[in-house]
Amino acid sequence: MIQTSGNSMTTLTQDALVEQLSAIVGADKVRTDADSLETFGKDWTKIYPPKPSAIVFPKTTQQVADIVKFANAQNVALVPSGGRTGLSAGAVAANGEVVVAFDYMNQISDFNATDRTVKCGAGVITEQLQTFAEEHDLFYPVDFASAGSSQIGGNISTNAGGIKVIRWGMTRDWVAGMTVVTGEGEILELNKDLMKNNTGYDMRQLFIGGEGTLGFVTEATMRLTRTPKNLTVLVLGIPELDDVMKVLSQFQSTMDLTAFEFFSDKAMQKVLARGDVPAPFETSTDFYALIEFEAVTDADMDQAMVQFEKCMEEGWVVDGVISQSETQAANLWRLREDISETISEWTPYKNDISVVVSKVPPFLRDIDEIVTREYPDFEIIWFGHIGDGNLHLNILKPDDLAKEEFFERCGKVSTWVFEIVEKYQGSVSAEHGVGMTKKPYLEYTRSAAEIAYMRAVKKVFDPNNIMNPGKLIDA
Amino acid sequence: MKVLVAVKRVIDYNVKVRVKADNSDVDLTNVKMAMNPFCEIAVEEAVRLKEKGIASEIVVVSIGPKVAQEQIRTALALGADRGILIETEEKLEPLTVAKLLKGVVEKEQPQIVLMGKQTIDSDNNQTGQMLGALTGMPQGTFASEVAVDGDKVNVTREIDGGLRTVALNLPAIVTTDLRLNEPRYASLPNIMKAKRKPLDTTTPADLGVEVKSTLSLVKVTPPAERSAGIKVDSVATLVDKLKNDAKVL
């Protein structure tokens, strides 16, 4: 028998639920075994125990629409599921919801070399799209550590960012058009892949980053771009946190960077301890910057050397390396990209905050002061896409502290952190989304009036609060 | 002690190699080139010998087009003292390379010649051995450990089923295997210093070697694509497939 609680208010028995879902997608595309419920009921957050009532795998947009209509009729809450790599519990089903998993909608089609676009089912894996682009001498630039698992539908619903935002922007900038199923089961074809289309409200933008609360993305036409040439990576040792941004502006004064990342020595030591990537250099500094740029001509390389020398003269940088091959570039990137996965072992409490780039230095100082004062006994791991104003602040759980107590203590200090975010007019969630973990803090970034309008918009597209209820905002 | 290190500019290990549409060769247009990974290991070993106070000078040599200077500069940034480029646009075969290197060995009189066991572009694994034959120097190939001991060098070689250590009288040739060391990155301050290190250019003619290929490349084709696997629904079907389709049982 189905255990309903929280948001899923259906009176259907589980057998009836499975039978009706099977009528839509076929019996082999509905799963209720314990393994599937556990796997598809959660994302990378390890806070909420998964408890979905069934997992359904539609293969077409029409099937998704039918599922949504059925859910409305029977008052069944739905949770969308992509690669489940989210860090804000946006794809967690902890209240007996039905999970709609897009794994079988993974077709890439309609590649158009002139428009440089390609159509992707919501379940296409990011890396699959990246590889497809590469095979056609093009490039899909949105990239992040979980690209091997995350899906396009999830990327769009969370407006995924990552490591190349400074040069190529967020997922939002690459969606030419998309098909969504609204909370009422309507199928909308948005923007028709047009470059120019000033015909009123661009409803794409509501669904991008909407975390599946208004509707589910089922298909999207993604833009591709030219392949960057000879991406070259520098890793620089920077003793003072304050100087990281000075290094950024020094390099940006004459160069277009494709990435500017920073990480603390503590973060790097965790990655190095795994023993599969070498240290960049022997000199140890408290912070490191990873800079990536296109070295098309010798002049580009010379510019990088000139800026490096300048940073050395100023004393901001004390050592550095530059990749001499793609293998080295990839290994240097791993120093930064492996951090998240490496520290997941310590059940980190994650903050993903941002401010405009010019405010980063004083913002960093204020945050640093708070965490050093409030978390003296916790290990703090700093890293982030600092070139676009985005910081990841991770607090590691000490072994001897229970998970509940740890998160409770972190939650308290989060309020302090978010007050600083508010003071600098920043965001409490730069790229991870709101989901459940950041929902209580939305007001630090969004005004009461804005949140009221968000609720009103939710009501328009999802009047029965079927779509991913309890995430982002309370209906 | 003087150490000579040979390095080659090859297609970057990380690049997915593509074949030209007309099957005439590998497509090198806009492809990232880098130092052959085994050569990187040879350079690293030479630098370590210098850091230990065993080597006094490291000379790095490369054979190829003018752009191969980039790889020599990398070796200089890693710690080599000076570079020699034998400039040629011709396709090179191991025997020609060995003859050219012999010319450099005669001129420079190194005590140890360090080189990769093979390059990842043509995978011949012949040049070190041929250089040994041409110069009469002893050779220690597939090195996983190099220990200089007076006028000898002990080279631990990776062989089938274990390790074999050979003691070579100096001067000697050592070709490197993957486990010899882990090469360092070129540091930016050292790259700047490397710009001022001497890099001489010479030609095969200067060394009295005629570069002429005796091989002609007929056709290059990519490996056959693997077809996707299938799922079977029972052990019985699996056994049946293994017996009748795969014919491995």
Side-chain angles (χ1 to χ4, degrees), chain A residues 223-255:
Chain A
R223 292 192 197 287
L224 304 174
T225 188
R226 80 163 172 84
T227 310
K229 293 193 182 99
N230 197 21
L231 288 175
T232 301
V233 177
L234 300 165
V235 171
L236 309 178
I238 305 175
E240 298 293 331
L241 188 56
D242 253 8
D243 293 335
V244 174
M245 297 312 276
K246 294 176 191 160
V247 172
L248 171 67
S249 32
Q250 187 60 44
F251 273 86
Q252 280 188 321
S253 67
T254 58
M255 298 171 70

Side-chain angles (χ1 to χ4, degrees), chain A residues 156-159 205-215 468 472:
Chain A
I156 294 173
S157 297
T158 58
N159 187 24
Q205 308 303 344
L206 290 174
F207 292 92
I208 300 172
E211 302 189 13
T213 60
L214 306 179
N468 212 8
L472 182 56

Side-chain angles (χ1 to χ4, degrees), chain A residues 153-451:
Chain A
N155 290 356
I156 294 173
S157 297
T158 58
N159 187 24
I163 53 181
K164 304 287 169 94
V165 171
I166 188 175
R167 169 72 177 77
W168 285 289
M170 311 274 280
T171 301
R172 189 184 298 286
D173 301 300
W174 300 92
V175 181
M178 56 200 238
T179 307
V180 298
V181 172
T182 71
E184 292 183 302
E186 283 291 333
I187 298 172
L188 301 180
E189 305 269 355
L190 300 175
N191 199 52
K192 303 179 168 59
D193 310 346
L194 295 164
M195 191 76 89
K196 302 184 91 174
N197 178 21
N198 285 355
T199 52
Y201 313 129
D202 183 355
M203 290 198 286
R204 264 182 312 175
Q205 308 303 344
L206 290 174
F207 292 92
I208 300 172
E211 302 189 13
T213 60
L214 306 179
F216 294 163
V217 179
T218 59
E219 262 189 340
T221 305
M222 305 305 289
R223 292 192 197 287
L224 304 174
T225 188
R226 80 163 172 84
T227 310
K229 293 193 182 99
N230 197 21
L231 288 175
T232 301
V233 177
L234 300 165
V235 171
L236 309 178
I238 305 175
E240 298 293 331
L241 188 56
D242 253 8
D243 293 335
V244 174
M245 297 312 276
K246 294 176 191 160
V247 172
L248 171 67
S249 32
Q250 187 60 44
F251 273 86
Q252 280 188 321
S253 67
T254 58
M255 298 171 70
D256 288 324
L257 306 180
T258 56
F260 189 95
E261 298 283 319
F262 106 114
F263 44 93
S264 63
D265 192 48
K266 278 183 186 157
M268 188 175 80
Q269 291 309 328
K270 296 271 186 233
V271 174
L272 293 179
R274 292 166 52 150
D276 48 2
V277 275
F281 34 73
E282 280 176 17
T283 321
S284 162
T285 54
D286 280 354
F287 300 94
Y288 302 91
L290 182 151
I291 300 175
E292 187 191 67
F293 64 100
E294 282 184 273
V296 183
T297 64
D298 286 349
D300 297 326
M301 206 59 106
D302 290 346
Q303 264 314 312
M305 297 306 289
V306 167
Q307 299 311 347
F308 172 72
E309 275 187 291
K310 176 78 182 157
C311 291
M312 288 277 280
E313 277 166 24
E314 294 284 352
W316 302 329
V317 168
V318 295
D319 207 345
V321 292
I322 186 165
S323 62
Q324 303 284 324
S325 63
E326 287 194 16
T327 314
Q328 287 192 359
N331 277 337
L332 289 172
W333 260 117
R334 288 190 59 189
L335 295 172
R336 161 65 189 85
E337 284 214 283
D338 287 3
I339 295 172
S340 230
E341 196 188 320
T342 307
I343 63 173
S344 69
E345 187 186 331
W346 284 270
T347 326
Y349 184 84
K350 289 176 166 291
N351 269 312
D352 164 42
I353 47 189
S354 73
V355 291
V356 294
V357 174
S358 60
K359 288 181 187 162
V360 168
F363 176 70
L364 268 179
R365 270 194 298 273
D366 282 10
I367 298 275
D368 195 36
E369 198 191 305
I370 286 281
V371 294
T372 333
R373 194 183 70 209
E374 299 295 330
Y375 298 121
D377 50 339
F378 289 175
E379 197 168 9
I380 312 286
I381 301 280
W382 283 99
F383 62 97
H385 320 294
I386 203 166
D388 54 44
N390 184 186
L391 289 167
H392 294 309
L393 169 66
N394 287 259
I395 303 152
L396 305 190
K397 188 181 84 61
D399 285 341
D400 53 1
L401 197 62
K403 202 159 85 172
E404 293 70 28
E405 195 190 336
F406 171 67
F407 280 112
E408 197 195 312
R409 283 186 58 190
C410 292
K412 270 184 204 149
V413 184
S414 272
T415 312
W416 292 82
V417 170
F418 292 143
E419 275 169 11
I420 299 169
V421 170
E422 191 177 26
K423 175 178 149 196
Y424 287 96
Q425 295 187 291
S427 174
V428 296
S429 188
E431 60 175 7
H432 290 172
V434 176
M436 292 199 274
T437 62
K438 295 295 181 269
K439 191 173 68 172
Y441 309 106
L442 195 58
E443 65 196 58
Y444 289 96
T445 298
R446 298 300 197 104
S447 71
E450 267 188 294
I451 294 172

